[in-house]
C-alpha cells in the first residue's frame, strides 16, 4: 500500500471552484508568495450529495503553460466519473505554503517541447516530490511534438528524464481538442487506479504496465 500522507505538496484552503459539470469561465488565482513565482489554483467538479470524502480523486498538473493546463483540466472534469474530481494546477513545486496538505494521488508534469523554460521548471520541481510518488503516482506528459520545427527540446531529452525517475512518459498535442480529450480520459483512468478505486490494480502494477510498453531510453536504442 502506498502512503498518501505527508507529500511535499500544499495548496491554499478554500480556493475551490465548483460547477455542475464544467469549469467557471473566470478562475481566481492564489497570489504569489514573496520571492516565489509559483502560483496554484484548484478546479473541482461538484460530487453527488451522498459522496464520501474517501471517493475524491485529487490530481496535480504541473507546468508553465497556464492555458494548456486549464484546458486539460477542463477536459478531465468533463469525464463521466462517479467520484469527486479535483484538479490542482501549478506552475511549479513546491506550492504556496499553507497549513492544509491535501492528498494527491497523481502528479502529471507537463513539458512543452517548444520551451526550455518549461523543462527547467519541471526539473526544479521534481526535487520537491516525495520519493513515494515515484512508485506509480508520477507521470510526464510531453506536448508540442506535432510541430517538430518549433521544438527547442529534443524528444530524447524528455525520454531520459522519464527514465531517470522511472516514471511513464505520455505524448499528446494538447492544443488539438480531440487529442486533449483522449488524454484527459486516460489521465482520469490513471487517477482512479492511483486512488485505489480499481479493484485488483495498484499504482505500482499500472506503472509496470506503462513502462513495459514505452520506447527504450536513447542509450538502449
Amino acid at each position: 500500500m502506498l502512503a498518501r500522507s505527508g507529500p511535499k505538496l500544499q495548496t491554499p484552503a478554500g480556493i475551490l471552484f465548483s460547477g455542475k459539470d464544467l469549469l467557471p469561465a473566470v478562475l481566481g488565482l492564489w497570489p504569489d508568495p514573496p520571492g516565489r513565482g509559483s502560483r496554484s489554483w484548484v478546479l473541482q467538479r461538484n460530487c453527488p450529495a451522498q459522496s464520501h470524502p474517501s471517493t475524491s480523486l485529487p490530481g496535480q498538473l504541473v507546468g508553465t503553460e497556464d492555458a494548456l493546463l486549464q484546458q486539460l483540466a477542463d477536459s478531465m472534469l468533463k469525464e463521466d466519473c462517479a467520484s469527486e474530481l479535483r484538479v490542482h494546477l501549478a506552475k511549479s513545486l513546491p506550492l504556496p505554503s499553507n497549513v492544509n496538505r491535501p492528498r494527491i494521488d497523481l502528479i502529471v508534469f507537463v513539458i512543452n517541447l517548444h520551451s526550455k523554460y518549461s523543462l527547467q521548471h519541471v526539473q526544479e520541481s521534481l526535487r520537491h516530490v516525495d520519493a513515494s510518488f515515484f512508485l506509480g503516482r508520477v507521470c510526464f506528459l510531453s506536448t508540442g511534438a506535432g510541430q517538430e520545427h518549433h521544438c527547442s527540446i529534443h524528444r530524447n531529452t524528455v525520454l531520459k528524464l522519464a527514465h531517470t525517475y522511472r516514471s511513464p512518459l505520455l505524448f499528446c498535442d494538447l492544443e488539438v481538442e480531440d487529442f486533449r480529450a483522449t488524454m484527459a480520459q486516460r489521465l482520469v483512468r490513471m487517477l482512479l487506479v492511483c486512488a485505489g478505486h480499481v479493484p485488483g490494480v495498484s499504482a505500482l502494477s499500472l506503472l509496470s504496465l506503462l513502462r513495459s510498453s514505452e520506447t527504450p531510453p536513447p542509450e538502449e536504442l
Side-chain angles (χ1 to χ4, degrees), residues 75-173:
S75 298
M76 290 175 69
L77 292 179
K78 292 177 184 178
E79 286 299 307
D80 185 17
C81 179
S83 302
E84 178 188 40
L85 184 59
R86 293 186 178 189
V87 183
H88 301 250
L89 309 182
K91 275 185 174 292
S92 61
L93 301 179
L95 300 183
S97 299
N98 191 272
V99 294
N100 289 340
R101 293 190 174 211
R103 187 185 86 246
I104 298 294
D105 287 316
L106 176 66
I107 306 175
V108 182
F109 289 101
V110 180
I111 301 173
N112 186 349
L113 295 180
H114 301 170
S115 169
K116 291 183 179 180
Y117 174 73
S118 171
L119 176 63
Q120 179 185 350
H121 266 250
V122 166
Q123 289 173 322
E124 292 174 353
S125 296
L126 285 164
R127 300 200 304 266
H128 300 283
V129 179
D130 190 89
S132 66
F133 276 84
F134 297 104
L135 296 175
R137 295 194 287 143
V138 166
C139 77
F140 296 92
L141 172 55
S142 175
T143 184
Q147 297 177 306
E148 190 172 354
H149 56 289
H150 288 155
C151 290
S152 57
I153 302 171
H154 197 278
R155 184 172 179 268
N156 284 350
T157 301
V158 290
L159 281 169
K160 288 179 180 179
L161 181 66
H163 182 70
T164 298
Y165 285 93
R166 306 297 184 190
S167 298
L169 171 63
L170 309 174
F171 287 90
C172 176
D173 281 326

Side-chain angles (χ1 to χ4, degrees), residues 30-101:
W30 185 256
D32 295 348
R36 182 182 296 166
S38 176
R39 64 183 181 182
S40 69
W41 57 102
V42 186
L43 311 178
Q44 174 182 331
R45 182 182 59 196
N46 278 359
C47 61
Q50 68 273 20
S51 291
H52 188 273
S54 63
T55 66
S56 65
L57 291 176
Q60 176 80 56
L61 303 182
V62 179
T64 58
E65 307 295 327
D66 287 356
L68 290 180
L69 260 64
Q70 181 183 326
Q71 290 170 355
L72 179 58
D74 218 337
S75 298
M76 290 175 69
L77 292 179
K78 292 177 184 178
E79 286 299 307
D80 185 17
C81 179
S83 302
E84 178 188 40
L85 184 59
R86 293 186 178 189
V87 183
H88 301 250
L89 309 182
K91 275 185 174 292
S92 61
L93 301 179
L95 300 183
S97 299
N98 191 272
V99 294
N100 289 340
R101 293 190 174 211

